[in-house]
């Protein structure tokens, strides 16, 4: 990504551009995971913009076997890890999912 100081008329970052993170990249992460899983079926560690338990489940449905969480810590603090687990448990209970293996890559089979 890149940003420009409009008053200084120059890039914000010394390198001119840098990494992009946060909730806004989740749709790109979901698409990349989906495409790679569909093409290869290989185990994937998905990451990118994860904020909630449903975000984790979404990446798993796209094909991620494991999900890295970084964005959430910035917004919800380290307590968010436990909260995400509770959110996932509640979703699984509501949807009748007994084992997370049931949802890995499920969206690629539609």
């Amino acid at each position: 990504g890149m940003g420009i100081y409009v008053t200084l008329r120059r890039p914000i970052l010394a390198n001119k551009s840098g990494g992009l993170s946060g909730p806004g990249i989740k749709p790109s992460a979901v698409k990349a995971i989906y495409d790679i899983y569909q093409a290869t079926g290989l185990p994937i560690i998905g990451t990118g913009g994860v904020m909630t338990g449903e975000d984790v489940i979404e990446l798993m449905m796209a094909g991620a076997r494991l999900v890295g969480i970084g964005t959430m810590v910035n917004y919800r603090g380290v307590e968010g890890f436990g909260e995400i687990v509770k959110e996932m448990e509640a979703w699984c209970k509501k949807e009748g999912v007994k084992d997370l293996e049931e949802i890995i890559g499920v969206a690629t089979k539609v």
Side-chain angles (χ1 to χ4, degrees), residues 8-106:
L8 298 177
R9 300 177 185 191
R10 55 189 256 182
I12 293 171
L13 300 174
N15 275 348
K16 295 188 175 111
S17 66
L20 190 60
S21 64
I25 68 165
K26 189 178 68 118
S28 295
V30 172
K31 174 75 167 120
I33 293 163
Y34 181 93
D35 289 347
I36 293 166
Y37 185 80
Q38 231 182 7
T40 69
L42 292 171
I44 298 168
I45 300 172
T47 188
V50 174
M51 292 282 294
T52 68
E54 277 198 23
D55 290 343
V56 173
I57 289 165
E58 185 177 4
L59 268 59
M60 293 180 80
M61 287 182 170
R65 179 159 295 281
L66 297 172
V67 176
I69 301 172
T71 295
M72 175 279 305
V73 178
N74 187 50
Y75 293 87
R76 298 174 72 178
V78 294
E79 301 80 19
F81 289 108
E83 293 166 0
I84 281 179
V85 170
K86 289 176 187 168
E87 292 163 4
M88 291 176 68
E89 288 172 342
W91 183 90
C92 287
K93 184 176 180 179
K94 179 179 143 219
E95 297 296 325
V97 173
K98 305 269 188 251
D99 187 330
L100 289 175
E101 289 288 329
E102 297 173 35
I103 66 168
I104 295 171
V106 71

